[in-house]
Amino acid sequence: MRGYILEEEKPFAKRIAIDGPAGSGKSTIAKRIAEILGYLYFDTGVMYRAVTLAAIDQGVDINNEEEVTSIAQLVNIDIQPARIEDGRAFTVLLDHEDVTWKIRSPEVEAFVSQVSAYSGVRQAMTIRQREIGLRNNVVMAGRDIGTVVLPEADLKVYLDASVEERARRRYQESLSRGEETSYEEVLNSMRTRDYVDSTRDHAPLRAAEDATVIDTTYMDIEEVVRKVFELVIGTVPKS
Ligand code: DC
């Protein structure tokens, strides 16, 4: 279907927000929908991960909000189309270094929720994300896209699933990357992350009031793609 839809001919949603907790399938679904529509796919979580990695690499104490915030304001994060075929959906550059896989490390995973709870960090990331969202036909995945980053999105989808199922999906992903971890470890880290993400003061994880919530616990990827695609073509763009 890619390439069949011309810029000026889109009678349906142009800006699509897909939010949800870790392992809800939002990145996979957002990527597929973007491919089908020929839109930009933008996974906003990588920006918080990149800031977290920068802070770790620079030896900054993660509890030091001021220092972590100033890193977020200064750091150069660039997301480019994948040019290496190693399973990546895109390439993430942190101050020109390819950190696409480093930002998935357990160390980053352990601190990213804390970093993304800092209001100054969020402010710096939200400005950049909004700019990209307003300039493109986009499928943007995150936690606060429908509520904060692009509240004017034409379509807002909130994907959810039980924590056990989400942990199972993440555990399978880790295994396929050859990482040594256990299901219990993944489950515990996911529970902690859910808690921090949904109870933070600034832009907590929650569905926008006008979002369509889809529980993917018992759905496979194709079913979710179909469901979201139906929503897309049933939505008229706001501008
Ligand atoms: O989607 P992810 O697992 O790559 O996200 C990593 C972290 O970044 C997650 O703990 C919450 C945070 N995040 C956020 O606060 N807002 C977003 N729009 C995207 C991610």
Side-chain angles (χ1 to χ4, degrees):
M1 233 177 283
R2 186 176 204 154
Y4 276 66
I5 304 154
L6 299 174
E7 264 320 285
E8 56 281 6
E9 281 181 0
K10 294 184 178 82
F12 42 77
K14 292 184 200 166
R15 295 190 187 107
I16 302 163
I18 303 195
D19 290 301
S24 58
K26 61 185 184 305
S27 307
T28 311
I29 301 303
K31 179 168 178 275
R32 286 286 304 278
I33 295 291
E35 276 168 4
I36 294 171
L37 298 171
Y39 288 10
L40 174 74
Y41 160 53
F42 184 19
D43 175 5
T44 58
V46 302
M47 295 185 77
Y48 293 98
R49 288 172 180 269
V51 172
T52 307
L53 179 64
I56 294 169
D57 282 355
Q58 291 179 33
V60 167
D61 176 3
I62 299 291
N63 296 311
N64 188 330
E65 182 167 348
E66 215 171 299
E67 276 197 53
V68 175
T69 302
S70 96
I71 288 181
Q73 288 161 344
L74 296 174
V75 87
N76 185 307
I77 304 167
D78 196 7
I79 298 152
Q80 298 187 346
R83 286 194 196 90
I84 302 171
E85 281 194 27
D86 60 356
R88 65 181 63 193
F90 42 72
T91 293
V92 183
L93 298 176
L94 173 62
D95 291 328
H96 310 289
E97 184 200 342
D98 184 347
V99 295
T100 310
W101 294 117
K102 259 176 135 180
I103 59 169
R104 304 281 158 198
S105 71
E107 211 183 354
V108 168
E109 199 95 349
F111 293 118
V112 66
S113 278
Q114 187 178 347
V115 168
S116 63
Y118 293 149
S119 68
V121 172
R122 300 206 69 79
Q123 232 167 38
M125 297 302 112
T126 300
I127 291 170
R128 298 183 202 190
Q129 292 163 7
R130 222 179 127 64
E131 264 172 26
I132 297 170
L134 293 179
R135 245 190 291 126
N136 297 278
N137 287 333
V138 71
V139 185
M140 208 181 266
R143 302 289 193 289
D144 59 341
I145 310 305
T147 51
V148 177
V149 178
L150 283 181
E152 66 273 77
D154 302 315
L155 173 67
K156 301 177 186 179
V157 177
Y158 186 90
L159 298 182
D160 210 346
S162 72
V163 68
E164 291 81 9
E165 171 60 17
R166 293 187 286 113
R168 192 193 63 77
R169 293 173 187 171
R170 276 292 150 94
Y171 175 59
Q172 292 298 335
E173 282 169 23
S174 307
L175 284 188
S176 66
R177 286 200 297 268
E179 289 166 13
E180 272 187 38
T181 181
S182 69
Y183 170 76
E184 283 68 31
E185 233 175 298
V186 177
L187 180 63
N188 284 336
S189 129
M190 193 158 275
R191 283 207 167 109
T192 309
R193 208 129 77 78
D194 279 359
Y195 178 77
V196 180
D197 291 347
S198 53
T199 55
R200 70 184 175 217
D201 291 339
H202 312 284
L205 168 68
R206 66 175 173 83
E209 272 173 25
D210 49 350
T212 302
V213 179
I214 305 174
D215 184 340
T216 72
T217 307
Y218 302 107
M219 290 169 86
D220 67 23
I221 290 169
E222 292 313 315
E223 283 174 290
V224 185
V225 169
R226 215 172 312 128
K227 173 101 189 127
V228 174
F229 188 68
E230 278 167 20
L231 291 171
V232 172
I233 56 176
T235 309
V236 196
K238 289 181 186 151
S239 56

